[in-house]
Amino acid sequence: MNYHYLSTLVTMSLLTENFKEASPVKREKCVTVQSLDYKLQRSRDAFGRSYGCAQGGLMRVSVLIGSKNNTKVFYERLKNTTPTSFTLFWNARYNQSGELTDCDAATVAEGYVVDVQEKYDRDKAETEGEHPCLTFQLLLTKITYHGTNTELKLVLVE
């Protein structure tokens, strides 16, 4: 897989629910995204017109875990038999009380958590201040992009 590591100029946060259902969105409920990788594809005819449903796959997300309590939700979602939502925020901005006030864009990904992996290196944590990292894979069923004055919904499974 080709992983896209985020530059230091762009920050990405992950909320473990649909942001429209979480009011207000608090900073302590978000974790920092280290990498994100997913692929969507759609069939096109000889004239470039799309047809059929878009096809999704796995979304792989690596996040920094501030405390062990933050990992619980990922393992709970692994047991779910219904799709769950995650929201990715680009350049999230928070007020003094830690509530989300704005972001450049947001993506709500819905699907099934199919894999969870944790990585922690004690030597690096002591010398470089590294936090534990958790990587999970989400089998996508729907993805919705929320940009400035736009909403683009792509249903992958009906």
Side-chain angles (χ1 to χ4, degrees), residues 12-62:
M12 185 179 279
S13 301
L14 176 84
L15 176 68
T16 56
E17 57 191 299
N18 186 330
F19 77 99
K20 289 187 171 185
E21 298 166 4
S23 182
V25 173
K26 300 289 251 173
R27 176 181 284 177
E28 66 261 8
K29 292 184 79 177
C30 297
V31 290
T32 303
V33 175
Q34 288 296 99
S35 66
L36 168 69
D37 181 43
Y38 68 98
K39 178 181 174 182
L40 303 174
Q41 68 183 49
R42 187 140 199 198
S43 299
R44 297 194 177 269
D45 63 17
F47 300 104
R49 294 181 296 234
S50 61
Y51 65 90
C53 289
Q55 297 174 349
L58 291 175
M59 175 183 276
R60 182 179 170 108
V61 184
S62 294

Side-chain angles (χ1 to χ4, degrees), residues 12 14 35 93 111 119 124 130 136:
M12 185 179 279
L14 176 84
S35 66
R93 293 175 283 287
K119 179 183 175 192
K124 283 188 177 182
E130 184 177 283
F136 69 97

Side-chain angles (χ1 to χ4, degrees), residues 9-10 12 14 22 27 32 34 46-47 57 67-69 88 93 100 119-120 126 130 137 139 157:
L9 301 176
V10 176
M12 185 179 279
L14 176 84
R27 176 181 284 177
T32 303
Q34 288 296 99
F47 300 104
S67 75
K68 195 66 175 164
N69 290 336
L88 297 155
R93 293 175 283 287
L100 180 71
K119 179 183 175 192
Y120 177 72
E126 290 176 356
E130 184 177 283
Q137 291 186 18
L139 180 59
V157 176

Side-chain angles (χ1 to χ4, degrees), residues 1 3 14 35-38 57-63 73-75 77-80 84 86 109-118 134-141:
M1 284 189 170
Y3 297 102
L14 176 84
S35 66
L36 168 69
D37 181 43
Y38 68 98
L58 291 175
M59 175 183 276
R60 182 179 170 108
V61 184
S62 294
V63 295
V73 68
F74 296 97
Y75 289 104
R77 302 271 175 98
L78 192 58
K79 297 186 300 184
N80 280 6
T84 58
F86 293 90
E110 189 173 297
Y112 301 92
V113 174
V114 294
D115 186 45
V116 177
Q117 299 173 11
E118 286 186 72
L134 181 135
T135 301
F136 69 97
Q137 291 186 18
L138 185 68
L139 180 59
L140 292 169
T141 57

